[in-house]
Amino acid sequence: MSSSLYPLLYDLLFVLLLAGAAWLGHRRGFLASLVLLAGGLLAILGAAWAAQAFAPAIGDAFLSPFLTRQVTLALAEAGGDAAAALENFTFLPDSVRAALESVLSSFSDDAAAQTAEGLMAVLLPFVKAGIFLVACLVLRGIVRALASLLRGMNAVPLVGGLNRLLGLVLGLGIGAINCWVASVVIWLASSLAAGRVPILGAGVLNQTVLYQFFAGLNPFLVRY
């Protein structure tokens, strides 16, 4: 497939997410869709709190020691040259490695600890995004279970038709939430791919319309 079609595939994905959520909202009805929309927003807030609260502790307990060990080994292989050591961290995008190299060029003592600290600052947003997505998935699953109990309202006489129409409108709102969460997933995948997967490259994503719109609302996005 031509790479010029990749941006269109992303926009098509977001259109399908919006249309699918609107259709499901029509089937669920107003009350169930309202619960899902409100619950989705609350799930985002709860997941954002969890990411902010737990990411630093997880980083300090697991990521920081791991990075310190890896940096120490990389520096030993590079003869103490931090810039050369960073070349071994191929999981980082080139722009991130360049930014870290610029910062670390002013360091002279304890290069391993300072390099690990710089990497922690770079990777912490990705840790937050991972925690956020897991927490959001769990919380939204709970909300969906609650919303399924309200589908019987669609059968109420004289209310069902209006109930479904309002459900469709609210479904668009749910679709927007789904698109926003999808944009976070795509951003995280693109960052972890570090330019090695063409369809996840920045050049492709920058040509999209809907992804760019929702990615502009990404609180984890860090540009270097």
Side-chain angles (χ1 to χ4, degrees):
M1 180 182 295
S2 173
S3 60
S4 62
L5 296 178
Y6 290 160
L8 294 177
L9 290 178
Y10 280 110
D11 286 328
L12 178 60
L13 169 64
F14 284 101
V15 168
L16 290 176
L17 286 174
L18 288 168
W23 177 71
L24 288 175
H26 180 267
R27 289 190 60 191
R28 292 187 182 106
F30 172 71
L31 286 180
S33 296
L34 180 61
V35 170
L36 280 174
L37 180 59
L41 293 174
L42 290 175
I44 287 175
L45 292 176
W49 173 84
Q52 194 68 26
F54 297 114
I58 291 175
D60 291 339
F62 301 103
L63 188 57
S64 183
F66 170 78
L67 289 175
T68 301
R69 288 194 299 271
Q70 295 303 311
V71 169
T72 300
L73 292 174
L75 282 172
E77 294 177 359
D81 187 342
L86 284 175
E87 292 299 322
N88 296 324
F89 290 87
T90 55
F91 59 89
L92 294 174
D94 291 340
S95 58
V96 174
R97 291 205 302 270
L100 279 173
E101 182 178 343
S102 176
V103 172
L104 294 173
S105 63
S106 61
F107 294 157
S108 57
D109 301 323
D110 199 7
Q114 291 167 337
T115 304
E117 183 179 351
L119 286 170
M120 265 294 295
V122 168
L123 297 178
L124 193 58
F126 302 132
V127 176
K128 289 182 179 180
I131 295 174
F132 169 83
L133 290 173
V134 171
C136 190
L137 180 65
V138 172
L139 292 173
R140 292 191 73 183
I142 295 173
V143 170
R144 285 192 176 92
L146 294 175
S148 65
L149 301 176
L150 300 176
R151 291 182 184 177
M153 280 297 297
N154 294 335
V156 177
L158 303 179
V159 175
L162 180 60
N163 191 34
R164 291 181 183 276
L165 177 61
L166 294 175
L168 184 147
V169 173
L170 292 180
L172 288 173
I174 297 169
I177 292 177
N178 293 341
C179 287
W180 180 79
V181 173
S183 73
V184 175
V185 173
I186 293 170
W187 164 78
L188 185 59
S190 175
S191 299
L192 295 177
R196 292 187 293 270
V197 182
I199 196 172
L200 293 172
V204 171
L205 295 177
N206 289 338
Q207 297 179 54
T208 63
V209 176
L210 291 175
Y211 168 78
Q212 284 294 307
F213 172 78
F214 288 104
L217 306 174
N218 183 354
F220 307 106
L221 181 62
V222 178
R223 299 186 185 277
Y224 300 94

